[in-house]
Amino acid sequence: MSPISLLFLGFFALVVLRVPIAHALVLSSALVIWKVDLSFDLIAQQMFHGLNSFTLLAVPFFLLAGQLLNVGLITDRLVRLAYAMVGWIRGGLAHINVVVSMIFAGMSGSSTADTAGVGAVMIPAMVKRGFDRRFTVAVTAASSTMGVIIPPSILMVIYGAAGGVSIGALFLAGAIPGMLIGLAQMAYCYYYAVQHDIPAEQRASMSELWAAFKAGFLPLMVPVIIIGGVLTGEFTATEAGMIACVYTVLLIFGVFRSANWRSMPRVLTEAVVIYSQPLLAVAGAMVFGWLLAYFDAPAQVAELSGPVAKDPTLALLFICAVFIVLGTFMDGIPAIIIFMPIVEELVRTSGASDIHTGLVVVMTLALGLVTPPYGLCLLLACVIGKIRVSEVLSQMAVFYALFLAVVLLVIFVPEIALFLPRMVMPQFVN
Amino acid sequence: MEGFVRFNSALEKFCGLAAAFCLLLFTIIVATDVFYRQVLASPLLWPSEISVSLFVWSVLLGAAVCTRRNSHLVVEMLPELPARADRLLRMLVDLLSLVFALLILWTGSKQAWAGVNRYTPMMGYPLWPFLIALPIPAVAMALFSIERLVRGSPPVATGEAAPAEGGPLL
């Protein structure tokens, strides 16, 4: 058996046996290292090398920012704002769910924080309002995928760092497609509300709208600071994440006084426990990826994929299909690290835009957050909604279809993604 | 045995708090860095190496905590197994978790040992405190894996265990 197939087979076998992803990556690599008699020192070297990167600090920062928004009850303010904005549309609460996710997406860069924060508020409220529990959970999970598509985004930071692509340009590329997903979901919610005869919420008066806007104004500065800072080049995405954290801490402890200092050790510990899992997988993915490159996998894939590697649209469709499969059982971050060399090779041979490609990869992996068996946001929404994953899948189907439709649209009409980056930072768009 | 469990319990708590402290510290360091550069216009050199190192420590310490809590995320693809097979499978997974920890401990120690007389490229700090971030938490991981092997591990977390603990924090 060739080392590459041994690597993949070993990995899949271990994952099926319920070995954690990070462990499976290292153990399958160790097996190949032993088989072809390379040095085991590679393991520590590559793991350390993989984590020893300033850019990766963006992961804890963007995650922590999301958690702080939830702890400090800022999510509730955003819900009130969304209520005033879209509550009057038929099926009001479902629209609020989507719109809050959209706003939250602009602040945190983490989809799981979005599901947890928005779900905890919106799921009980929607069920109480007479929405079907399965639909409620499905909307919550599906809308939180925008978290990593609308900037800032942890996945885009990783992609930009691993592939040497401008993170600012990726951020810009995600804005319109992310909002398209939100609008498509709102359209479906409207249709659902008409079908199931769910009324609108009360229309907010101008003064209520103004009050909600005032309550949400300071938190809404977070995305402005992040995007503004990254685009002007004043600070890196990692530093922007830190600033989002510090700003949120100032808000919840200084201005709103909505959180307790004593909860901080627990908040920090939980944050570490959550981010250590995908990042340990990043470390493992470095070993795995090093072996793939050592055995020349990227060139082989490009050769095997024949005509696909020559045409940008075909190459993107191929990449999209591969990452949909990967996303069902893997975290997005290690998936990017492992397969980046292959993606880069396909970008090179097909002449696709690296930013366009990056966006398609990120969007596809975002879908992976809500596809079983390993869809973190879906699992989380089901836990909050106290319902089994299998019961929600029939309701998820429509959302999968909507999501895929938007991804295909973005693949076939690159301008949807590239319009903003081309306008603001043309030097990074080839 | 009881002593071992108590020790591990304390060790888990320590790892969790130490990891949280690392997170707090590198957040403050990066903030200081940006403040000096943007506001005082006098960039500092030391923060980048130190903050990245604290980050690496936090990841490995956090991963050790996950090993004890059994909250490393796994993929549920197998159908439900008969109790006996399920127990055997869990033992295999715990054994592999021990192998994983030992691999990191072994190769990480070698790397740290080789780094004793080496220094960081930018600031010239000794390299070993950076490098032992791999093997030291791996000791805790190994101990936690052994505990699970001996006691029999609890049912696998499918990602549903974490939110129950963290609540809306996640």
Side-chain angles (χ1 to χ4, degrees), chain A residues 193-400:
Chain A
V194 171
Q195 290 287 306
H196 293 76
D197 207 20
I198 296 165
E201 304 297 308
Q202 231 166 13
R203 188 183 283 272
S205 66
M206 271 323 273
S207 63
E208 281 167 323
L209 188 62
W210 177 238
F213 177 73
K214 265 200 318 204
F217 178 75
L218 284 175
L220 284 178
M221 284 298 104
V222 175
V224 177
I225 298 170
I226 294 177
I227 310 296
V230 174
L231 291 189
T232 54
E234 285 300 315
F235 31 83
T236 63
T238 308
E239 291 165 348
M242 177 278 297
I243 290 170
C245 289
V246 173
Y247 182 82
T248 312
V249 164
L250 290 179
L251 277 189
I252 64 181
F253 291 114
V255 184
F256 301 147
R257 299 184 187 282
S258 50
N260 190 330
W261 280 111
R262 266 174 304 184
S263 64
M264 281 312 275
R266 201 171 64 102
V267 173
L268 290 172
T269 311
E270 288 316 306
V272 180
V273 168
I274 294 163
Y275 75 68
S276 66
Q277 300 179 38
L279 286 172
L280 189 70
V282 165
M286 286 298 290
V287 190
F288 196 92
W290 188 94
L291 288 169
L292 279 184
Y294 180 79
F295 294 114
D296 213 16
Q300 284 186 33
V301 169
E303 201 171 305
L304 279 178
S305 41
V308 166
K310 300 280 185 300
D311 179 83
T313 308
L314 282 179
L316 281 177
L317 287 172
F318 175 72
I319 289 174
C320 172
V322 170
F323 276 88
I324 285 179
V325 176
L326 287 173
T328 58
F329 65 91
M330 239 180 133
D331 247 326
I333 303 175
I336 290 176
I337 305 270
I338 295 176
F339 293 97
M340 197 66 216
I342 296 177
V343 171
E344 278 178 320
E345 181 71 22
L346 286 173
V347 166
R348 202 181 57 76
T349 54
S350 70
S353 147
D354 48 3
I355 291 166
H356 189 205
T357 310
L359 184 74
V360 169
V361 168
V362 168
M363 288 183 84
T364 318
L365 287 172
L367 180 62
L369 288 165
V370 290
T371 48
Y374 184 82
L376 278 184
C377 291
L378 182 61
L379 286 171
L380 203 55
C382 288
V383 173
I384 299 168
K386 300 188 186 69
I387 192 169
R388 294 170 67 92
V389 173
S390 50
E391 291 177 78
V392 189
L393 288 181
S394 60
Q395 292 291 333
M396 283 305 292
V398 181
F399 288 103
Y400 294 149

Side-chain angles (χ1 to χ4, degrees), chain A residues 95-118:
Chain A
H95 297 291
I96 294 170
N97 195 326
V98 177
V99 169
V100 173
S101 287
M102 230 190 258
I103 303 174
F104 200 99
M107 311 176 70
S108 92
S110 149
S111 282
T112 41
D114 182 328
T115 313
V118 178

Side-chain angles (χ1 to χ4, degrees), chain A residues 7 41 51 58 69 76 87 116 164 170 172 184 188 217 224 255 278 293 295 340 343 358 364 374 421 424:
Chain A
L7 199 57
D41 296 353
L51 288 178
L69 292 175
D76 299 46
L170 279 173
L172 283 174
Y188 173 60
F217 178 75
V224 177
V255 184
F295 294 114
M340 197 66 216
V343 171
T364 318
Y374 184 82
V424 182

Side-chain angles (χ1 to χ4, degrees), chain A residues 14-23 26-27 30 40-41 43-45 47-48 51-54 56-57 60-61 67 70-71 112-113 116 120 234-235 239 242-243 265-277 279-280 329 373-374 376 379-380 383, chain B residues 16-17 19-20 23-24 26-27 30-31 33-34 37-38 51-52 55-56 58-60 62-63 65-66 69 71-79 86 89 92-93 96-97 99-100 103-104 106-108 110-111 130-131 134 156 158-160 163 165 168-170:
Chain A
L14 288 168
V15 166
V16 169
L17 291 177
R18 299 198 194 123
V19 173
I21 304 270
H23 299 197
V26 171
L27 291 167
F40 277 98
D41 296 353
I43 295 177
Q45 274 165 18
M47 285 183 82
F48 188 79
L51 288 178
N52 199 21
S53 135
F54 186 73
L56 280 185
L57 269 70
F61 289 149
Q67 291 213 348
N70 291 341
V71 179
T112 41
E234 285 300 315
F235 31 83
E239 291 165 348
M242 177 278 297
I243 290 170
R266 201 171 64 102
V267 173
L268 290 172
T269 311
E270 288 316 306
V272 180
V273 168
I274 294 163
Y275 75 68
S276 66
Q277 300 179 38
L279 286 172
L280 189 70
F329 65 91
Y374 184 82
L376 278 184
L379 286 171
L380 203 55
V383 173
Chain B
L17 285 176
L23 168 57
L24 181 66
F26 75 68
T27 309
V30 175
D33 188 19
V34 172
R37 196 186 62 220
Q38 297 290 345
S51 54
V52 172
F55 160 74
V56 177
S58 76
V59 171
L60 271 293
V65 174
C66 293
R69 290 192 190 173
S71 61
H72 273 297
L73 289 154
V74 300
V75 182
E76 280 299 337
M77 275 194 269
L78 287 182
D86 195 62
L89 186 61
L92 176 72
V93 172
L96 288 173
S97 161
V99 174
F100 172 78
L103 269 173
I104 297 181
W106 172 48
T107 60
K110 269 174 78 180
Q111 178 175 240
F130 294 77
L131 294 174
L134 238 42
V156 177
T158 53
E160 315 208 355
E165 257 173 25
L169 284 187
L170 244 175

